Every structure is written in structure tokens, then in C-alpha cells.
Amino acid sequence: MGAVLAVAACAPPAAGPPPVPASDVRDGTWTGTGTYESPGGPQELDVRATFRQGTVVRVDVLPAATNATSRRFQERFADAVAGEVVGLPVDEVHVDRLAGSSGTGAGFMQAVTQAALAAAGR
């Protein structure tokens, strides 16, 4: 049973909006880092999110991929994501596949969740 719990704890969080109510999110700029698997191996993605009254007012994706192809996908994703999430309450943000990138969305959601949790003081 212990081994099953350890494996479950390492599993990536379910794709979906950050588990933080918008009402809990303090105003300010917060950061997070997400990871995901790509055909080129594990990749990271840094996100800087600015929240005001629980709403995303700015989001900057800072590509951190070590693989050149993954970096190009992250850059394309970074160019497109603000148009998808700015203006949404943080608890309604959900990005999956965007700008031809299927894995970057998972890393983005992890990073936004980290930023929202930090903004909520958790």
C-alpha cells in the first residue's frame, strides 16, 4: 500500500483549473515553474502571473526548455497564451493544447497553480 501511495504522490496533478478559489488570491505578481514530458525529454516552463481581484491581468511565459524543438514550442505557446487567459478568474484558467504544443499546456497549468497557491498564501 505504501508504494502505491508514493507513486500516486509523484503523479502530475489532474489537468484543470488551479484548485484555488479566485476569492482567495491576493493582488500582485507571482511565479511558478511547471514540468512536463516532451519527445525530447523532461522540460520546464516558468510563468509569471499577475492577479487583480482574483483575475489574471497579465501572464508571461518564460521558456526554459533544454531541447531546441521544445523551446520553439514554448515560445509559440508564450505568444498565444495571454490571449486565452488574461481576463479570466484564476479558478477558470484551463489551457491544454495551444499553438501546436500538446505538452506545454500541462507545464503551464502546473506553474499557474503554483503562482495561485502562492498568491493565496499556501
Side-chain angles (χ1 to χ4, degrees), residues 34-67:
T35 59
Y36 63 96
E37 278 296 320
S38 77
Q43 303 299 323
E44 284 191 357
L45 180 74
D46 297 321
V47 171
R48 185 174 45 234
T50 303
F51 306 119
R52 190 164 301 122
Q53 297 180 347
T55 299
V56 179
V57 296
R58 182 181 175 128
V59 66
D60 296 301
V61 174
L62 311 167
T66 56
N67 174 281

PDB file of all heavy atoms in Angstrom, residues 34-67:
ATOM      1  N   GLY A  34       6.553  24.899 -14.031  1.00  0.00           N
ATOM      2  CA  GLY A  34       5.890  23.642 -14.364  1.00  0.00           C
ATOM      3  C   GLY A  34       6.827  22.735 -15.128  1.00  0.00           C
ATOM      4  O   GLY A  34       7.777  23.195 -15.770  1.00  0.00           O
ATOM      5  N   THR A  35       6.577  21.445 -15.044  1.00  0.00           N
ATOM      6  CA  THR A  35       7.361  20.470 -15.786  1.00  0.00           C
ATOM      7  C   THR A  35       6.421  19.590 -16.589  1.00  0.00           C
ATOM      8  O   THR A  35       5.249  19.441 -16.252  1.00  0.00           O
ATOM      9  CB  THR A  35       8.195  19.583 -14.844  1.00  0.00           C
ATOM     10  OG1 THR A  35       7.315  18.906 -13.956  1.00  0.00           O
ATOM     11  CG2 THR A  35       9.191  20.406 -14.051  1.00  0.00           C
ATOM     12  N   TYR A  36       6.946  19.040 -17.647  1.00  0.00           N
ATOM     13  CA  TYR A  36       6.179  18.124 -18.481  1.00  0.00           C
ATOM     14  C   TYR A  36       7.137  17.291 -19.309  1.00  0.00           C
ATOM     15  O   TYR A  36       8.306  17.636 -19.461  1.00  0.00           O
ATOM     16  CB  TYR A  36       5.192  18.879 -19.378  1.00  0.00           C
ATOM     17  CG  TYR A  36       5.851  19.806 -20.387  1.00  0.00           C
ATOM     18  CD1 TYR A  36       6.081  19.387 -21.692  1.00  0.00           C
ATOM     19  CD2 TYR A  36       6.251  21.081 -20.026  1.00  0.00           C
ATOM     20  CE1 TYR A  36       6.689  20.225 -22.614  1.00  0.00           C
ATOM     21  CE2 TYR A  36       6.859  21.927 -20.938  1.00  0.00           C
ATOM     22  CZ  TYR A  36       7.074  21.493 -22.229  1.00  0.00           C
ATOM     23  OH  TYR A  36       7.687  22.325 -23.138  1.00  0.00           O
ATOM     24  N   GLU A  37       6.632  16.194 -19.817  1.00  0.00           N
ATOM     25  CA  GLU A  37       7.428  15.317 -20.684  1.00  0.00           C
ATOM     26  C   GLU A  37       7.193  15.691 -22.138  1.00  0.00           C
ATOM     27  O   GLU A  37       6.051  15.869 -22.562  1.00  0.00           O
ATOM     28  CB  GLU A  37       7.026  13.858 -20.487  1.00  0.00           C
ATOM     29  CG  GLU A  37       7.655  13.190 -19.302  1.00  0.00           C
ATOM     30  CD  GLU A  37       9.174  13.069 -19.404  1.00  0.00           C
ATOM     31  OE1 GLU A  37       9.719  12.780 -20.483  1.00  0.00           O
ATOM     32  OE2 GLU A  37       9.811  13.261 -18.358  1.00  0.00           O
ATOM     33  N   SER A  38       8.257  15.799 -22.879  1.00  0.00           N
ATOM     34  CA  SER A  38       8.172  16.027 -24.324  1.00  0.00           C
ATOM     35  C   SER A  38       8.927  14.891 -25.009  1.00  0.00           C
ATOM     36  O   SER A  38       9.660  14.146 -24.352  1.00  0.00           O
ATOM     37  CB  SER A  38       8.813  17.371 -24.676  1.00  0.00           C
ATOM     38  OG  SER A  38      10.227  17.263 -24.668  1.00  0.00           O
ATOM     39  N   PRO A  39       8.790  14.765 -26.324  1.00  0.00           N
ATOM     40  CA  PRO A  39       9.581  13.745 -27.021  1.00  0.00           C
ATOM     41  C   PRO A  39      11.086  13.949 -26.825  1.00  0.00           C
ATOM     42  O   PRO A  39      11.864  13.010 -26.904  1.00  0.00           O
ATOM     43  CB  PRO A  39       9.181  13.928 -28.486  1.00  0.00           C
ATOM     44  CG  PRO A  39       7.801  14.491 -28.423  1.00  0.00           C
ATOM     45  CD  PRO A  39       7.813  15.389 -27.212  1.00  0.00           C
ATOM     46  N   GLY A  40      11.489  15.179 -26.490  1.00  0.00           N
ATOM     47  CA  GLY A  40      12.893  15.483 -26.247  1.00  0.00           C
ATOM     48  C   GLY A  40      13.304  15.303 -24.793  1.00  0.00           C
ATOM     49  O   GLY A  40      14.401  15.674 -24.417  1.00  0.00           O
ATOM     50  N   GLY A  41      12.405  14.761 -23.972  1.00  0.00           N
ATOM     51  CA  GLY A  41      12.712  14.553 -22.560  1.00  0.00           C
ATOM     52  C   GLY A  41      11.976  15.536 -21.679  1.00  0.00           C
ATOM     53  O   GLY A  41      11.163  16.328 -22.141  1.00  0.00           O
ATOM     54  N   PRO A  42      12.259  15.505 -20.377  1.00  0.00           N
ATOM     55  CA  PRO A  42      11.569  16.393 -19.442  1.00  0.00           C
ATOM     56  C   PRO A  42      11.922  17.861 -19.713  1.00  0.00           C
ATOM     57  O   PRO A  42      13.075  18.178 -20.012  1.00  0.00           O
ATOM     58  CB  PRO A  42      12.060  15.951 -18.059  1.00  0.00           C
ATOM     59  CG  PRO A  42      13.176  15.007 -18.286  1.00  0.00           C
ATOM     60  CD  PRO A  42      13.201  14.614 -19.718  1.00  0.00           C
ATOM     61  N   GLN A  43      10.920  18.721 -19.606  1.00  0.00           N
ATOM     62  CA  GLN A  43      11.116  20.144 -19.863  1.00  0.00           C
ATOM     63  C   GLN A  43      10.509  20.958 -18.729  1.00  0.00           C
ATOM     64  O   GLN A  43       9.609  20.498 -18.037  1.00  0.00           O
ATOM     65  CB  GLN A  43      10.445  20.551 -21.182  1.00  0.00           C
ATOM     66  CG  GLN A  43      10.913  19.792 -22.391  1.00  0.00           C
ATOM     67  CD  GLN A  43      12.393  19.947 -22.683  1.00  0.00           C
ATOM     68  OE1 GLN A  43      12.978  21.018 -22.507  1.00  0.00           O
ATOM     69  NE2 GLN A  43      13.023  18.861 -23.121  1.00  0.00           N
ATOM     70  N   GLU A  44      11.002  22.182 -18.560  1.00  0.00           N
ATOM     71  CA  GLU A  44      10.470  23.117 -17.581  1.00  0.00           C
ATOM     72  C   GLU A  44       9.951  24.354 -18.289  1.00  0.00           C
ATOM     73  O   GLU A  44      10.398  24.694 -19.387  1.00  0.00           O
ATOM     74  CB  GLU A  44      11.552  23.564 -16.588  1.00  0.00           C
ATOM     75  CG  GLU A  44      11.877  22.541 -15.552  1.00  0.00           C
ATOM     76  CD  GLU A  44      12.754  23.106 -14.443  1.00  0.00           C
ATOM     77  OE1 GLU A  44      13.163  24.291 -14.486  1.00  0.00           O
ATOM     78  OE2 GLU A  44      13.039  22.337 -13.519  1.00  0.00           O
ATOM     79  N   LEU A  45       9.035  25.022 -17.598  1.00  0.00           N
ATOM     80  CA  LEU A  45       8.424  26.244 -18.110  1.00  0.00           C
ATOM     81  C   LEU A  45       8.172  27.149 -16.919  1.00  0.00           C
ATOM     82  O   LEU A  45       7.569  26.717 -15.933  1.00  0.00           O
ATOM     83  CB  LEU A  45       7.105  25.884 -18.800  1.00  0.00           C
ATOM     84  CG  LEU A  45       6.294  26.994 -19.404  1.00  0.00           C
ATOM     85  CD1 LEU A  45       6.981  27.461 -20.690  1.00  0.00           C
ATOM     86  CD2 LEU A  45       4.905  26.489 -19.729  1.00  0.00           C
ATOM     87  N   ASP A  46       8.668  28.368 -16.963  1.00  0.00           N
ATOM     88  CA  ASP A  46       8.450  29.325 -15.887  1.00  0.00           C
ATOM     89  C   ASP A  46       7.334  30.280 -16.284  1.00  0.00           C
ATOM     90  O   ASP A  46       7.232  30.689 -17.452  1.00  0.00           O
ATOM     91  CB  ASP A  46       9.728  30.113 -15.606  1.00  0.00           C
ATOM     92  CG  ASP A  46      10.863  29.222 -15.124  1.00  0.00           C
ATOM     93  OD1 ASP A  46      10.583  28.295 -14.350  1.00  0.00           O
ATOM     94  OD2 ASP A  46      12.019  29.454 -15.528  1.00  0.00           O
ATOM     95  N   VAL A  47       6.504  30.641 -15.314  1.00  0.00           N
ATOM     96  CA  VAL A  47       5.379  31.541 -15.558  1.00  0.00           C
ATOM     97  C   VAL A  47       5.378  32.623 -14.487  1.00  0.00           C
ATOM     98  O   VAL A  47       5.575  32.343 -13.306  1.00  0.00           O
ATOM     99  CB  VAL A  47       4.033  30.775 -15.538  1.00  0.00           C
ATOM    100  CG1 VAL A  47       2.854  31.732 -15.582  1.00  0.00           C
ATOM    101  CG2 VAL A  47       3.966  29.798 -16.698  1.00  0.00           C
ATOM    102  N   ARG A  48       5.143  33.850 -14.927  1.00  0.00           N
ATOM    103  CA  ARG A  48       4.940  34.983 -14.023  1.00  0.00           C
ATOM    104  C   ARG A  48       3.517  35.472 -14.282  1.00  0.00           C
ATOM    105  O   ARG A  48       3.189  35.876 -15.393  1.00  0.00           O
ATOM    106  CB  ARG A  48       5.969  36.071 -14.311  1.00  0.00           C
ATOM    107  CG  ARG A  48       5.929  37.229 -13.364  1.00  0.00           C
ATOM    108  CD  ARG A  48       7.068  38.222 -13.585  1.00  0.00           C
ATOM    109  NE  ARG A  48       7.276  38.523 -14.992  1.00  0.00           N
ATOM    110  CZ  ARG A  48       8.455  38.403 -15.623  1.00  0.00           C
ATOM    111  NH1 ARG A  48       9.515  37.969 -14.991  1.00  0.00           N
ATOM    112  NH2 ARG A  48       8.568  38.711 -16.899  1.00  0.00           N
ATOM    113  N   ALA A  49       2.668  35.385 -13.255  1.00  0.00           N
ATOM    114  CA  ALA A  49       1.257  35.745 -13.400  1.00  0.00           C
ATOM    115  C   ALA A  49       0.928  36.905 -12.471  1.00  0.00           C
ATOM    116  O   ALA A  49       1.336  36.917 -11.313  1.00  0.00           O
ATOM    117  CB  ALA A  49       0.373  34.550 -13.071  1.00  0.00           C
ATOM    118  N   THR A  50       0.190  37.859 -13.004  1.00  0.00           N
ATOM    119  CA  THR A  50      -0.276  38.992 -12.206  1.00  0.00           C
ATOM    120  C   THR A  50      -1.781  38.860 -12.034  1.00  0.00           C
ATOM    121  O   THR A  50      -2.512  38.701 -13.019  1.00  0.00           O
ATOM    122  CB  THR A  50       0.083  40.331 -12.880  1.00  0.00           C
ATOM    123  OG1 THR A  50       1.504  40.378 -13.081  1.00  0.00           O
ATOM    124  CG2 THR A  50      -0.358  41.512 -12.034  1.00  0.00           C
ATOM    125  N   PHE A  51      -2.209  38.896 -10.762  1.00  0.00           N
ATOM    126  CA  PHE A  51      -3.622  38.762 -10.420  1.00  0.00           C
ATOM    127  C   PHE A  51      -4.126  40.065  -9.809  1.00  0.00           C
ATOM    128  O   PHE A  51      -3.417  40.733  -9.057  1.00  0.00           O
ATOM    129  CB  PHE A  51      -3.828  37.644  -9.394  1.00  0.00           C
ATOM    130  CG  PHE A  51      -3.251  36.320  -9.794  1.00  0.00           C
ATOM    131  CD1 PHE A  51      -2.262  35.715  -9.035  1.00  0.00           C
ATOM    132  CD2 PHE A  51      -3.695  35.661 -10.942  1.00  0.00           C
ATOM    133  CE1 PHE A  51      -1.734  34.489  -9.388  1.00  0.00           C
ATOM    134  CE2 PHE A  51      -3.165  34.435 -11.306  1.00  0.00           C
ATOM    135  CZ  PHE A  51      -2.181  33.847 -10.534  1.00  0.00           C
ATOM    136  N   ARG A  52      -5.369  40.411 -10.138  1.00  0.00           N
ATOM    137  CA  ARG A  52      -6.048  41.536  -9.516  1.00  0.00           C
ATOM    138  C   ARG A  52      -7.481  41.098  -9.250  1.00  0.00           C
ATOM    139  O   ARG A  52      -8.181  40.694 -10.186  1.00  0.00           O
ATOM    140  CB  ARG A  52      -6.017  42.767 -10.413  1.00  0.00           C
ATOM    141  CG  ARG A  52      -6.509  44.009  -9.696  1.00  0.00           C
ATOM    142  CD  ARG A  52      -6.152  45.318 -10.399  1.00  0.00           C
ATOM    143  NE  ARG A  52      -4.706  45.464 -10.553  1.00  0.00           N
ATOM    144  CZ  ARG A  52      -4.090  45.627 -11.735  1.00  0.00           C
ATOM    145  NH1 ARG A  52      -4.776  45.664 -12.849  1.00  0.00           N
ATOM    146  NH2 ARG A  52      -2.783  45.748 -11.789  1.00  0.00           N
ATOM    147  N   GLN A  53      -7.872  41.122  -7.990  1.00  0.00           N
ATOM    148  CA  GLN A  53      -9.198  40.683  -7.561  1.00  0.00           C
ATOM    149  C   GLN A  53      -9.524  39.278  -8.081  1.00  0.00           C
ATOM    150  O   GLN A  53     -10.629  39.010  -8.545  1.00  0.00           O
ATOM    151  CB  GLN A  53     -10.264  41.699  -7.987  1.00  0.00           C
ATOM    152  CG  GLN A  53     -10.066  43.050  -7.330  1.00  0.00           C
ATOM    153  CD  GLN A  53     -11.104  44.059  -7.733  1.00  0.00           C
ATOM    154  OE1 GLN A  53     -11.856  43.873  -8.684  1.00  0.00           O
ATOM    155  NE2 GLN A  53     -11.151  45.158  -7.004  1.00  0.00           N
ATOM    156  N   GLY A  54      -8.523  38.393  -8.024  1.00  0.00           N
ATOM    157  CA  GLY A  54      -8.711  37.006  -8.415  1.00  0.00           C
ATOM    158  C   GLY A  54      -8.701  36.748  -9.909  1.00  0.00           C
ATOM    159  O   GLY A  54      -8.888  35.622 -10.352  1.00  0.00           O
ATOM    160  N   THR A  55      -8.462  37.779 -10.694  1.00  0.00           N
ATOM    161  CA  THR A  55      -8.466  37.670 -12.152  1.00  0.00           C
ATOM    162  C   THR A  55      -7.050  37.802 -12.692  1.00  0.00           C
ATOM    163  O   THR A  55      -6.257  38.600 -12.179  1.00  0.00           O
ATOM    164  CB  THR A  55      -9.360  38.780 -12.757  1.00  0.00           C
ATOM    165  OG1 THR A  55     -10.690  38.587 -12.275  1.00  0.00           O
ATOM    166  CG2 THR A  55      -9.364  38.751 -14.273  1.00  0.00           C
ATOM    167  N   VAL A  56      -6.746  37.027 -13.720  1.00  0.00           N
ATOM    168  CA  VAL A  56      -5.444  37.122 -14.388  1.00  0.00           C
ATOM    169  C   VAL A  56      -5.445  38.396 -15.223  1.00  0.00           C
ATOM    170  O   VAL A  56      -6.270  38.553 -16.123  1.00  0.00           O
ATOM    171  CB  VAL A  56      -5.190  35.902 -15.297  1.00  0.00           C
ATOM    172  CG1 VAL A  56      -3.848  36.040 -16.008  1.00  0.00           C
ATOM    173  CG2 VAL A  56      -5.266  34.605 -14.512  1.00  0.00           C
ATOM    174  N   VAL A  57      -4.536  39.324 -14.899  1.00  0.00           N
ATOM    175  CA  VAL A  57      -4.440  40.559 -15.677  1.00  0.00           C
ATOM    176  C   VAL A  57      -3.202  40.589 -16.562  1.00  0.00           C
ATOM    177  O   VAL A  57      -3.114  41.401 -17.479  1.00  0.00           O
ATOM    178  CB  VAL A  57      -4.497  41.818 -14.778  1.00  0.00           C
ATOM    179  CG1 VAL A  57      -5.844  41.915 -14.078  1.00  0.00           C
ATOM    180  CG2 VAL A  57      -3.368  41.853 -13.779  1.00  0.00           C
ATOM    181  N   ARG A  58      -2.269  39.685 -16.279  1.00  0.00           N
ATOM    182  CA  ARG A  58      -1.079  39.560 -17.126  1.00  0.00           C
ATOM    183  C   ARG A  58      -0.467  38.198 -16.872  1.00  0.00           C
ATOM    184  O   ARG A  58      -0.472  37.700 -15.748  1.00  0.00           O
ATOM    185  CB  ARG A  58      -0.066  40.649 -16.798  1.00  0.00           C
ATOM    186  CG  ARG A  58       1.165  40.581 -17.678  1.00  0.00           C
ATOM    187  CD  ARG A  58       2.177  41.640 -17.328  1.00  0.00           C
ATOM    188  NE  ARG A  58       3.360  41.420 -18.140  1.00  0.00           N
ATOM    189  CZ  ARG A  58       3.940  42.345 -18.871  1.00  0.00           C
ATOM    190  NH1 ARG A  58       3.495  43.570 -18.866  1.00  0.00           N
ATOM    191  NH2 ARG A  58       5.004  42.054 -19.581  1.00  0.00           N
ATOM    192  N   VAL A  59       0.077  37.618 -17.921  1.00  0.00           N
ATOM    193  CA  VAL A  59       0.796  36.357 -17.769  1.00  0.00           C
ATOM    194  C   VAL A  59       1.976  36.369 -18.732  1.00  0.00           C
ATOM    195  O   VAL A  59       1.841  36.748 -19.893  1.00  0.00           O
ATOM    196  CB  VAL A  59      -0.125  35.130 -18.001  1.00  0.00           C
ATOM    197  CG1 VAL A  59      -0.609  35.039 -19.416  1.00  0.00           C
ATOM    198  CG2 VAL A  59       0.557  33.860 -17.583  1.00  0.00           C
ATOM    199  N   ASP A  60       3.139  36.031 -18.201  1.00  0.00           N
ATOM    200  CA  ASP A  60       4.351  35.944 -19.006  1.00  0.00           C
ATOM    201  C   ASP A  60       4.904  34.543 -18.873  1.00  0.00           C
ATOM    202  O   ASP A  60       5.129  34.063 -17.750  1.00  0.00           O
ATOM    203  CB  ASP A  60       5.404  36.939 -18.522  1.00  0.00           C
ATOM    204  CG  ASP A  60       4.955  38.375 -18.680  1.00  0.00           C
ATOM    205  OD1 ASP A  60       4.671  38.784 -19.821  1.00  0.00           O
ATOM    206  OD2 ASP A  60       4.872  39.083 -17.659  1.00  0.00           O
ATOM    207  N   VAL A  61       5.102  33.897 -19.999  1.00  0.00           N
ATOM    208  CA  VAL A  61       5.710  32.570 -20.022  1.00  0.00           C
ATOM    209  C   VAL A  61       7.170  32.763 -20.384  1.00  0.00           C
ATOM    210  O   VAL A  61       7.493  33.409 -21.382  1.00  0.00           O
ATOM    211  CB  VAL A  61       5.002  31.653 -21.043  1.00  0.00           C
ATOM    212  CG1 VAL A  61       5.726  30.327 -21.170  1.00  0.00           C
ATOM    213  CG2 VAL A  61       3.552  31.437 -20.634  1.00  0.00           C
ATOM    214  N   LEU A  62       8.035  32.210 -19.550  1.00  0.00           N
ATOM    215  CA  LEU A  62       9.474  32.344 -19.749  1.00  0.00           C
ATOM    216  C   LEU A  62      10.017  30.975 -20.147  1.00  0.00           C
ATOM    217  O   LEU A  62      10.221  30.110 -19.293  1.00  0.00           O
ATOM    218  CB  LEU A  62      10.123  32.841 -18.459  1.00  0.00           C
ATOM    219  CG  LEU A  62       9.426  34.076 -17.847  1.00  0.00           C
ATOM    220  CD1 LEU A  62       9.911  34.326 -16.436  1.00  0.00           C
ATOM    221  CD2 LEU A  62       9.622  35.282 -18.731  1.00  0.00           C
ATOM    222  N   PRO A  63      10.188  30.743 -21.451  1.00  0.00           N
ATOM    223  CA  PRO A  63      10.652  29.429 -21.900  1.00  0.00           C
ATOM    224  C   PRO A  63      11.942  29.012 -21.203  1.00  0.00           C
ATOM    225  O   PRO A  63      12.875  29.807 -21.069  1.00  0.00           O
ATOM    226  CB  PRO A  63      10.865  29.610 -23.396  1.00  0.00           C
ATOM    227  CG  PRO A  63       9.910  30.708 -23.768  1.00  0.00           C
ATOM    228  CD  PRO A  63       9.955  31.644 -22.588  1.00  0.00           C
ATOM    229  N   ALA A  64      11.965  27.774 -20.739  1.00  0.00           N
ATOM    230  CA  ALA A  64      13.135  27.247 -20.045  1.00  0.00           C
ATOM    231  C   ALA A  64      13.523  25.874 -20.580  1.00  0.00           C
ATOM    232  O   ALA A  64      14.288  25.156 -19.938  1.00  0.00           O
ATOM    233  CB  ALA A  64      12.854  27.172 -18.542  1.00  0.00           C
ATOM    234  N   ALA A  65      12.989  25.499 -21.736  1.00  0.00           N
ATOM    235  CA  ALA A  65      13.259  24.176 -22.303  1.00  0.00           C
ATOM    236  C   ALA A  65      14.736  24.020 -22.647  1.00  0.00           C
ATOM    237  O   ALA A  65      15.396  24.959 -23.088  1.00  0.00           O
ATOM    238  CB  ALA A  65      12.412  23.951 -23.552  1.00  0.00           C
ATOM    239  N   THR A  66      15.233  22.803 -22.458  1.00  0.00           N
ATOM    240  CA  THR A  66      16.619  22.497 -22.788  1.00  0.00           C
ATOM    241  C   THR A  66      16.748  21.928 -24.197  1.00  0.00           C
ATOM    242  O   THR A  66      17.829  21.912 -24.765  1.00  0.00           O
ATOM    243  CB  THR A  66      17.195  21.484 -21.784  1.00  0.00           C
ATOM    244  OG1 THR A  66      16.364  20.324 -21.774  1.00  0.00           O
ATOM    245  CG2 THR A  66      17.256  22.078 -20.383  1.00  0.00           C
ATOM    246  N   ASN A  67      15.651  21.482 -24.761  1.00  0.00           N
ATOM    247  CA  ASN A  67      15.615  20.912 -26.100  1.00  0.00           C
ATOM    248  C   ASN A  67      15.180  22.015 -27.074  1.00  0.00           C
ATOM    249  O   ASN A  67      14.211  22.732 -26.813  1.00  0.00           O
ATOM    250  CB  ASN A  67      14.617  19.740 -26.088  1.00  0.00           C
ATOM    251  CG  ASN A  67      14.380  19.170 -27.455  1.00  0.00           C
ATOM    252  OD1 ASN A  67      13.619  19.742 -28.240  1.00  0.00           O
ATOM    253  ND2 ASN A  67      14.997  18.040 -27.737  1.00  0.00           N
TER     254      ASN A  67
END
